[in-house]
Each structure stands twice: as structure tokens, then as C-alpha cells.
Amino acid sequence: MIRILKKYLCVLAAIPFLLASTISSAFEVPGFTGFAAGIGFSGAAVEIAGTETDPEGTAVSGKSLEELSHPVIFGEARFKSASRLGLTVGLDFIPGSANFVTESKTDTDLTSTIDGTNSGTSTVTGKMKNHATLYIQPTLSITDVFSVYLSAGYILAQVEADAKLVTSTNFVKRQVTNGTRLGAGIMTQHDNGFFVKLEGNVSDYEQLLFNTSEGTKVTANVETESATILIGKAF
């Protein structure tokens, strides 16, 4: 994970210098004040509501609460519409992957053996990777140093489900999902361009659906609440 984060940070740090002339000419628009980039760390509470439905139509539902933490890298463009009002448009990315759920339960397959039963433990692990969020942040500057903002974002991510089921065939399935993110935050900025953001967000993902070759259907609804600290520099 550390090697992956360092690789992305090197690329991120080099972009403003390599594209400086292109950036300055491409963004000669009213209100544009510059770019910013940085890194952060996020902690999240994840709620997963899932249902497993076997080929006979018997459904078993449950909820899981998980906690996870991960690094974040981001880049953004900033605009100013009035003396105290501004707008930020950005993209953040979670490098690597993160397990957001691991659930186990005792199952019994009534038709898998000659004796009529087969008991054991079914385990499902969910992993997210390539998680990116495009966001906008209307911002109000309270002072020259302190600002508050609202945030709204559109999420794209790849989800991998690894299931070892007593009642059906084991499977590993991948699915691209999307979602929305809403939140608010505060920011302090300094004359040298460095700034710190602290924000809270609520994210809601579209329903995940996985089917096995034997007809078992697994659905999951994922919601997260997160707190994030971000450190960056404006260019």
C-alpha cells in the first residue's frame, strides 16, 4: 500500500510542473484562480444490507456494520465568483483496494449429499478498488484564512465479491458501480499555498447484484459515513 501511495504522489506532484504552460493557457476563464492537489486520510463506517435468495425462492436478509480507513489523493480547480464566494471542482481517488465487508454464517444445503444435508460456514468478502469521485464544492470564505463549504460528488468504483457458499457454487464476481456523495467541510489556508481541509460525507451506492450458476442471487445495498482530513497545496 505504501509503495502504491508513493507512486501516485510522485505522479501527482509532477503534473503541475510538467503542464504548467498548458494549464495557464487552457484555463484563461473568468474567475479561475488556480489548481490545488494533495493527500488525505479517511475513516468510514460502512452499512451493508444484503439478501441471499436461493433457487427455490427462500430469502435470508441481514445487515452488517463495518469500519475501514484508507488514504486519498486529490486534485482540484478553483474559481471565484464574488469577494467571498467560490467554487471548487475536483477529483479524488483511493489508491489500492479496501475490504468493506467480510461476513460469515452457518448454512445447511439440504440437497447436496446422499444423506440429505451438508452443513458448514458460508463466507462473503466484498472489496472496492479504482474508487474515484468527481465533486463540486461551493465555498464561502469567512476570513482570509478560514472557509466553509458544501460538497456533492458522483462516485465510480469497481466492486469484487468473493463468496464461498455452502448452499451454492463458490464465485468471484466483479461489477462497476456508481453512487452519490454529499457532505460539508471547513478549510484553513495560508499565504504559502498550503491548506488543510476537514470534511464529513455520506455516500450511497447503487444496489449490487450477483448471481451464481446455480441460480442463487445475492444483493447488497451499501452506505457509508466518513470523516476525512486533507492536506494540500494550491498552485
Side-chain angles (χ1 to χ4, degrees):
M1 177 65 73
I2 296 298
R3 287 198 299 268
I4 293 174
L5 184 56
K6 285 182 177 178
K7 179 181 70 175
Y8 281 108
L9 288 178
C10 290
V11 174
L12 192 64
I15 287 175
F17 300 100
L18 295 176
L19 301 180
S21 60
T22 303
I23 289 172
S24 60
S25 61
F27 281 85
E28 290 179 355
V29 295
F32 176 70
T33 60
F35 284 93
I39 60 173
F41 187 81
S42 182
V46 185
E47 179 180 285
I48 305 99
T51 302
E52 178 188 337
T53 307
D54 65 23
E56 288 75 35
T58 302
V60 178
S61 299
K63 276 190 177 183
S64 173
L65 295 175
E66 305 284 342
E67 294 182 355
L68 61 86
S69 57
H70 54 79
V72 181
I73 59 176
F74 70 95
E76 53 192 35
R78 295 178 174 179
F79 302 85
K80 201 167 187 178
S81 60
S83 60
R84 293 292 180 182
L85 297 178
L87 181 69
T88 296
V89 180
L91 179 71
D92 67 40
F93 182 74
I94 301 175
S97 61
N99 288 349
F100 66 91
V101 61
T102 300
E103 280 293 303
S104 299
K105 67 183 181 71
T106 301
D107 273 335
T108 300
D109 188 346
L110 300 178
T111 61
S112 62
T113 66
I114 296 176
D115 295 332
T117 62
N118 178 35
S119 297
T121 301
S122 294
T123 302
V124 177
T125 300
K127 178 187 297 185
M128 275 197 183
K129 58 183 180 180
N130 299 326
H131 189 290
T133 306
L134 178 66
Y135 60 86
I136 59 171
Q137 294 175 345
T139 303
L140 173 64
S141 298
I142 305 300
T143 68
D144 291 339
V145 175
F146 182 75
S147 302
V148 296
Y149 59 88
L150 300 177
S151 184
Y154 177 76
I155 302 168
L156 276 179
Q158 185 180 57
V159 176
E160 179 180 287
D162 185 352
K164 297 176 175 58
L165 304 175
V166 174
T167 56
S168 186
T169 304
N170 296 343
F171 68 84
V172 177
K173 301 276 188 177
R174 295 174 180 85
Q175 177 181 329
V176 175
T177 187
N178 60 68
T180 57
R181 188 180 77 185
L182 298 174
I186 59 176
M187 178 175 67
T188 60
Q189 47 195 354
H190 307 280
D191 292 338
N192 56 12
F194 285 97
F195 61 90
V196 177
K197 285 183 172 183
L198 180 63
E199 62 184 47
N201 292 289
V202 176
S203 300
D204 185 16
Y205 298 82
E206 70 171 345
Q207 185 181 69
L208 304 173
L209 172 62
F210 301 98
N211 294 291
T212 71
S213 59
E214 295 179 353
T216 296
K217 181 172 70 174
V218 178
T219 61
N221 294 291
V222 181
E223 296 181 358
T224 69
E225 296 180 356
S226 63
T228 305
I229 184 169
L230 304 162
I231 302 173
K233 189 178 190 309
F235 300 93

